[in-house]
Amino acid sequence: MSNQLYALSGQFETPDEIMHAAEEVNKKYKQYDVNTPYPVHGMDGAMGMGESPIGWVTLVVGTTCMLLMLCFIAWIQLVDYPTTFAGKPDFNLPGYVPILFETTILTGAVTTVLTLLFVVCGLPNNAHPIHDTNYAKRTSDDRFGIYVEAKDPAFNEAEVRQLFEQLGAKDIAPIYIDAEEVAAGKNMSVLKPQFIGFAATVVLVISGAAYFGLNHMVFLPPYNWMSVQPKVVPQKTNTVFKNGVSMQLPVEGTIARGFIPYAKVGAKEGFGQSMANPLDPTAEVFALGEQKYLTMCSACHGNYGQGDSRLNGQYPAPPSLHSKKAVEWADAEIYHVITNGQNIMPSYAKQLTRDERWAIVHYVRALQRSLNPKETDVQ
Amino acid sequence: MSTHTSQYQKKDLPPVVGQVGFGLLGVGLLLALVSFFVDPLRTKFISIMLFMFLAGIGVTSLFMVAIEYLAGAVWSTPLRRIFEMFSSLILFLPIFALPVVFSMQDLYEWTHKTDEILARKAAYLNQPFFMVRLAVIIGLWIVFYKLFTGNSLKQDTTQDQSLTAKNVKLSALFIPVMGLSITALSIDFLMSLEPHWFSTIFGVNFFIGSLTAALAVITIAVVLLNENGYLHPGTVRDHYYSLGFGMIAATVFWMYTAFSQGMLIWYANIPEETPWYLHRWDGDWKVITLAQILVHFIIPFFLLVQRKNKRNPNRMLFASVWILFAHLFDLYWVVMPAYRPQGPIIGWNELGFVLLAAGVIITVFHQQTKRKNLVAVGDPKLQRGLEFRL
């Protein structure tokens, strides 16, 4: 223990005595402190202490962090990842107030505590001259202590001792600075560059690993309102097929179910006598043929096939179906004309199925026969 | 210690207090009558503000009494008689309810119109049940007021500690009763002005706004009385600090409830909830709505946030007057859009009612001080209350 004096201390038995002592000491000295085993109300006033400046730390840090958070939210919502929620504007201030409020409280509170611990109290250095003294032991147990520091400009050991004696202090004792403890405090391992470097490395490695782990290894895309899906999109190159087209053509020669291809598509003449009407002339077939004829054919050919178009000359009327040529035609030729079209008559292959076309052929035959009946029909 | 409970000597308030009170009461009453003949409907709407202002201050003063007993607080014991005196406003509430009760047909849409929503609410919102609720609420408050102050006054002479124990039990009963009744009262008088609208936090918002106003009235009285030596000489600035602390806490909580009500309705954007805010967002009402943030939160907050301001009598007086203004501003914002949706209007009619309210409060308080000690001299907690320091 060195002999450098830190302070002169005195101890009292009751809170009233220590309040009185603090008031008296405060009249002459500024560098002094009081230690009590429990909070004594009114001590701030007795010691002449003003308002603690720590509130300014809370205010400045809280306000700054609130503004930083506002900028952060603005950057996210306006620049980096604009999202619309519930039809509200992109920058939706009332909705951010709870976040800003919580940021202010959190940063203000945490910074206040950290400032108290690391700036005001000087952690991690916890050396203090009153450690391991009788004064510290008693004032944390059953006595109320006061000490005046030697660095006070008005400090004079004899005068302070006399003042303490007048006030009725017990165990008036000097407190010395422990050079060994001070040196140990200055040479703490946590303050060495090796430790600080190690700690910084650990922080960097852990935060870097967390960043890469979360953003690259276990990254989940944020919810994107179904706008991104693993499906084929129009106007985009398909990487699966060689030709880059998603909608592939069927293999050449593919026939759709229930579809019988017609070999004479585009030909000048049909199969003639070599192909018969595949449908039997039943009542159902005639009914179908009549319905389809009236829907598709009658507009130009007339309801009875006489070429008396119902379009009143707006469109060239076709020849009569009762002409000698048409009457003598094989069934397959009429079918060929319906399927391929002729002159300005278009193909009806898209509008009428194969069976419907053959049914129309039956119906046209019936119409022809109604105007040129055989003798057997008249009977 | 230098203070002792026996140091209190009762002194009568100077007659100027009564003169000011009667003067304000007279001028206010005159202006109110003139206003009633010039612009009856507007005056009727303002009378809702007057009633709710006095009712809120009266019952939250009694709430402060109850919370002191229930929490075992000592800082407020030297001031508690002041709380009790302001809570005597409760006794006069039936008088101030009359103008509203007699003009309900003009004020409340639900009394004469109906549609599907109102028809479903009619089981609660009908005139007979309204009267019953009003009578029960004011009746309960008067009963509790009589019991609290009766026990407290008896203690001045008997110094019987069991009276404190009785009031503690009474407080545990009163606080839930007050919570429900002030909510019901605010729904009846304020929320049903626009009967299609509803908000579940409305009652809390009115309660906490009234509490700030009650604390402001109490602070004005305590500071003026104590600085002129009418209270116990042991009452110090640390007691002002605690009142200021209550005011700033209540102000922040008022903003919290007001904002959460507004934000949730704005966010949800449901047609049945938004009209109330739309009426306060159309035209010049928007200015009043936005000014609330400044008037009712930012200015009082920074007036009171520093410890040295809360210990300074003049700054506490200024902050209290400002908070009373802010509470009136808030009531105006709640009530008057129902009267004039196209925009706010402020004139001598409103000023007359402010004078009337001030006159009523000062006169009632002055009458109370004539018969009673200004300090609860028999309270067992008084000594500790006087020794209260930060």
Side-chain angles (χ1 to χ4, degrees), chain B residues 31 59 78 97 126 146 186 210 220 249 251 265 286 300 323 331 344 386:
Chain B
L31 283 172
V59 76
N126 57 67
K146 289 283 182 194
S186 67
S210 298
I220 293 172
T251 305
I265 286 173
K286 189 175 184 175
I323 281 176
L331 277 176
L386 292 167

Side-chain angles (χ1 to χ4, degrees), chain B residues 165-206:
Chain B
K166 272 185 197 169
N167 270 2
V168 169
K169 285 177 193 153
L170 214 54
S171 308
L173 209 59
F174 174 67
I175 286 179
V177 168
M178 190 227 55
L180 292 173
S181 56
I182 200 168
T183 306
L185 196 75
S186 67
I187 289 172
D188 283 356
F189 277 78
L190 300 177
M191 206 161 96
S192 79
L193 282 168
E194 288 169 59
H196 297 91
W197 181 78
F198 63 92
S199 161
T200 47
I201 208 170
F202 192 83
V204 182
N205 188 239
F206 173 72

